Amino acid sequence: MILAQVSRYIEERRSAALLDLCHRFDVDAAAMRAMLEVLERKGRVRPVDTPAACHLGCGGCDTAVMETYEWCADPAEPPPGP
């Protein structure tokens, strides 16, 4: 069920950051990465290259969760899940 929700969330927004997904679905980064790997294998999402640091240069962001994923599946295809 949560995999389908994650899929819909990214599809609706066209892309989403790992940190955003973790907060939205209240899961840790490792669990969310596992779900994203499933969606990636199914051809629904793909990782987007993100810079090592943002343009602000404050160093306040956790670069381990700055990953972003974008939707890439055919919109006519149903999302995974029940």
Side-chain angles (χ1 to χ4, degrees):
M1 177 78 175
I2 193 169
L3 192 59
Q5 292 170 329
V6 170
S7 181
R8 263 189 235 99
Y9 187 82
I10 299 171
E11 180 182 17
E12 289 169 1
R13 286 156 185 78
R14 306 309 299 162
S15 68
L18 177 64
L19 188 59
D20 176 37
L21 293 165
C22 291
H23 288 167
R24 170 66 177 87
F25 295 99
D26 195 28
V27 297
D28 66 24
M32 184 55 68
R33 278 189 188 101
M35 288 184 259
L36 290 165
E37 285 174 10
V38 171
L39 293 173
E40 191 176 352
R41 280 195 308 271
K42 291 177 176 265
R44 301 197 187 289
V45 301
R46 67 177 154 241
V48 177
D49 289 334
T50 53
C54 72
H55 67 282
L56 298 176
C58 69
C61 297
D62 181 359
T63 56
V65 291
M66 286 183 60
E67 301 161 38
T68 300
Y69 293 81
E70 69 180 2
W71 184 254
C72 61
D74 179 355
E77 194 175 331

